[in-house]
Amino acid sequence: MNDETPPQTDGSTGEAPLVVVRGLTKTYDDFTAVDHIDLDVPTGQVFGVLGPNGAGKTTTMRMITGLIEPTAGSISIDGFDLQKDTVDAKKVTGFIPDRPYVYDKLTAFEYLRFIGGLYGMTEKRIAARIDELLTLFELREWSNGLIESFSHGMKQRLVFSGALLPEPRLLVIDEPMVGLDPKGHHLVKTLFRSLVEEQRMSILLSTHTLEVAEEVCDQIVIINHGRIIARGTLGQLRLESGENDGNLEQVFLRITEETEDERDQAVARRFGNARRSVEEEAS
Amino acid sequence: MIRQLLAIKLQTLRGSLRSKQGRLRIPAFAVMSLLFAFMLYGAGEFVTSHALQIDLVGELLVHRLLSITVLVFFALLLFSNVVTAFSTFYLADDLEFLMGQPISTDQLFASRFIESMVQSSWILALFGLPLFIAVGVEMGAPLYYYPLLLVVLLPFVAIPTALASIFALLVTNIIAANRTRDAALFFGLVAFTVLFVIIRAFEPERLLNPDSFDSIGEMMRLLSPPTTAYFPDDWVINILTPVLFELDAPVTWSAILLFTTPIALFFLATWLHRPLYFRGYSNAKEGEHSGGIMVAIRDWLLEKTRTTSRSVDEQLQNLAGSEEQASALRQLIKKDQTIFTRDASQWSQLLIVVAIIVIYLVNFKYFEIAAEGTLIGDIGLVFFNLAACAFVVVALCGRFLFPAVSVEGRAFWIILQAPISLQRFLVGKWLGSLLPIVAVGQFLIWSSNLLVGIDLVATSLAAAQTLIISLVASAMAVGMGAMSPQFHNPNAAKIASSFGAVIFMIFTIFLTLLLIGMWFHATTTLAGMSRSPATPTTWLSALAALLISAAAVVAALKVGARMLARHF
């Protein structure tokens, strides 16, 4: 695909995708972290991004949330160009990073109120949302405590609450299950489906927990060496991989399988001049 | 192992130099510091050559001034080493990893010692060396004076490092330092007081009025630094000055002391670290849960600053009663203020602000008495006061506002991801901090000017200039702090003493002096103090200064936001 690839409409509803990513590239000096990625995240679906370590998933997610500037390519969220209409694009986006760093000196209540303020919500709406989310994530009795006294899992629940507070149309999640207990796992999985089905929210999640992806994702892309190597529903990926009866783990392993030569070529391409200069130095 | 531990640090540094930001920033910083070093060199040459012109006592005067300079550096090194020691030995991020590795306490101590020494002694390299070289050049010192400088200064910087490492070790063990870095505050206040006593004992204002001395002997007595043969600065002087003045050979006893003391202190520190380091480290880590006066005050403040002390339901009810749209800017300011009041390591340094104000006013009164009717007169007094107030404002901005972006820490993703532009975020930081900075500046200028009887017109004009300088300096601090953010540095005091902060101080002081210079004629004309009539240039210059101020505010915030975005 190239920059001119038109957004694909969702076959079932005819709706334009909420997120349209074209030719997304990120390089760090000679290293290409993400290499011309095209993505269409449909409205009202859970869209999974899978891939081995260092494949470029987190970089992609961070570019889509505006945490990192892309080197090339475009990202459009709900029709807003992330580079040009940054604030409008971010208004409809919530983000949950893999590590829940928040302001330790605020209380949970103050943190949520602060997030509501950043999104320009009315105070009445902020109050209603805080009320719902504190109950949903079982944080009500902790709401007046300093966040620094929270456990990792509690912080993660708080970050979930913060991301959902402004009722975003797009929720981007990097590793949703890190630090959550089994009850938290269940809560989040149920929540994803209800957000998508009842509120038509789009969820873009990257994860290594294939069981979660299998259970909640409507569509999946697999990234390796900075490029998309497969995309589709689980059924389509099964067909593509030849693992017709396999679970997602088997499908994933088959798709990302590569010979040593293939791997060397991909690495050489990705590390570009840096690798060449190392080889020259070595010789 | 020590070499490996240090090599990691060097590799990290090399890595940051290779990064895009490093490649841009390092040459910029290098040029700025070279420029500053040359200026210091020029100032050193100027003072030395003028002192030498004074008959009979010229050389003695140089000797005394050099002694005072070395003593002040010793005090600065002590302070900077203590701040650094807490960070490198107890608070650094990589310690958690290193403590789990098979590394002996001796090896860890030695590597951290060297790291601490290098990190804190750049003050001497940047500010001290140009001065010492200038004195050497003016005095026509023999060539071996210059390599000797390096040989002498190395043990001189090692002594404060060893003392600071022992101090930090004892503090973390004895006080069971909750918030270990708070201890640096107490030490900072002590160091500040010592420096103040030294400067007061020296009575620098009397130099402006040589007539106040009954004899040259009295003047020389005044210039004797309050040091003793037990202080390393005295040893350094005893080695350097015989070479500088080509008199006798360096004092052997001082040389022996200077080279053996750091070695002895190093071994003492290593020996003490064996049984005590782990306990101190563990105390520092458990700080958040232990008691202590700071924690008690913090908890009290938390109670007072909590959104409300009522139940969550009441808070929600209260919030739900308003249809108002929440303002992002107001929330940003409120968040910063709440965090500041709850961070004991931050607000407790406000004591320093109070100390600065008191010391400033007391000194200014002395200054007025000494300068009465002589060298500088009323105009000099007004402008000296204005420049000094501006300096205090710039220093406060450097301490409290320069780290403002960095203290967002790893939670900065919240701002980056939120629907708010980085420029607006920086404006929030700026506006939120304006009130205290402006208040301190105005309080200083009004009280000091009224204290010495400067008339209302001149005081009002000085107050207006201080206001503009406060606006400019605070914006520059926020903007320049955003240009080189240190999100991984947990210690605001250390960020405020980092290289970037020093560059901010130098740059902003230059700018401030330029502005005051451009306003000079307009101010003296309006205050009726000018001896020459105003020309169109007078007003154009004042207007240009205003435009430069506005441009500096806008540029600092815009460039800061742009560079902050590229940081990731």
Side-chain angles (χ1 to χ4, degrees), chain B residues 317-376:
Chain B
Q317 225 169 19
N318 197 28
L319 196 61
S322 162
E323 284 287 353
E324 203 185 320
Q325 192 177 14
S327 146
L329 217 52
R330 201 184 310 152
Q331 285 299 322
L332 277 169
I333 294 170
K334 199 172 161 194
K335 183 259 304 172
D336 282 343
Q337 287 168 348
T338 309
I339 291 175
F340 186 86
T341 49
R342 285 178 193 164
D343 188 353
S345 65
Q346 282 272 51
W347 62 259
S348 49
Q349 296 220 352
L350 287 175
L351 289 175
I352 291 178
V353 179
V354 177
I356 287 176
I357 292 174
V358 173
I359 291 167
Y360 185 87
L361 294 177
V362 170
N363 272 303
F364 197 64
K365 192 70 191 157
Y366 275 111
F367 185 83
E368 184 228 1
I369 297 161
E372 210 163 38
T374 57
L375 283 174
I376 59 170

Side-chain angles (χ1 to χ4, degrees), chain A residues 14 32 48 71 82 91 109 111 115 131 143 146 149-150 152 162 169-170 187 193-194 201 213 222 227 251 268:
Chain A
T32 307
T71 311
L82 186 59
K91 256 188 187 154
F109 181 86
Y111 171 73
I115 298 290
D131 197 15
S143 63
L146 282 189
S149 64
F150 284 17
H152 183 95
R169 294 203 62 202
L170 169 71
L187 169 71
R193 289 311 319 169
S194 77
M201 190 184 278
I222 297 177
R227 287 179 174 176
V251 170

Side-chain angles (χ1 to χ4, degrees), chain A residues 99-260:
Chain A
R99 279 172 290 182
Y101 291 120
V102 277
Y103 300 107
D104 281 350
K105 300 281 180 216
L106 295 184
T107 65
F109 181 86
E110 287 165 348
Y111 171 73
L112 294 175
R113 195 181 168 176
F114 169 67
I115 298 290
L118 286 183
Y119 279 78
M121 298 165 71
T122 64
E123 299 205 327
K124 192 176 180 181
R125 189 68 199 138
I126 295 174
R129 288 297 289 158
I130 292 178
D131 197 15
E132 287 167 32
L133 292 162
L134 285 178
T135 308
L136 180 65
F137 287 100
E138 297 176 354
L139 287 168
R140 186 171 278 271
E141 58 272 38
W142 301 95
S143 63
N144 264 345
L146 282 189
I147 299 170
E148 70 181 8
S149 64
F150 284 17
S151 70
H152 183 95
M154 279 163 66
K155 282 185 187 173
Q156 190 72 346
R157 285 164 185 253
L158 182 63
V159 172
F160 263 95
S161 310
L164 291 172
L165 186 96
E167 297 167 285
R169 294 203 62 202
L170 169 71
L171 186 63
V172 183
I173 312 163
D174 194 6
E175 285 301 342
M177 299 307 177
V178 176
L180 292 180
D181 57 18
K183 200 175 167 192
H185 272 231
H186 179 73
L187 169 71
V188 165
K189 282 189 286 189
T190 321
L191 180 70
F192 285 169
R193 289 311 319 169
S194 77
L195 287 172
V196 163
E197 283 154 19
E198 289 160 26
Q199 297 179 25
R200 304 279 303 144
M201 190 184 278
S202 299
I203 297 178
L204 177 64
L205 73 89
S206 90
T207 184
H208 284 300
T209 321
L210 298 180
E211 165 241 330
V212 173
E214 192 165 3
E215 266 182 66
V216 301
C217 290
D218 298 297
Q219 287 198 56
I220 290 166
V221 295
I222 297 177
I223 297 182
N224 201 8
H225 303 297
R227 287 179 174 176
I228 292 178
I229 54 168
R231 66 175 87 213
T233 59
L234 182 57
Q236 288 167 331
L237 292 179
R238 276 197 187 112
L239 275 177
E240 193 177 320
S241 65
E243 292 278 349
N244 291 343
D245 301 318
N247 59 19
L248 184 56
E249 184 178 80
Q250 289 159 325
V251 170
F252 176 82
L253 291 173
R254 175 56 59 87
I255 288 176
T256 54
E257 202 173 46
E258 56 192 357
T259 65
E260 214 165 288

Side-chain angles (χ1 to χ4, degrees), chain B residues 530-544:
Chain B
S530 178
R531 287 175 199 149
S532 56
T535 61
T537 323
T538 309
W539 308 115
L540 276 178
S541 159
L543 185 68

Side-chain angles (χ1 to χ4, degrees), chain B residues 151-152 155-156 159 228-242 249-262:
Chain B
V151 175
V152 166
F156 180 66
I159 294 171
T228 78
Y230 301 107
F231 278 16
D233 57 288
D234 195 56
W235 309 334
V236 167
I237 288 296
N238 285 342
I239 299 170
L240 285 183
T241 46
V251 180
T252 322
W253 184 237
S254 294
I256 293 172
L257 280 174
L258 183 65
F259 287 98
T260 52
T261 308

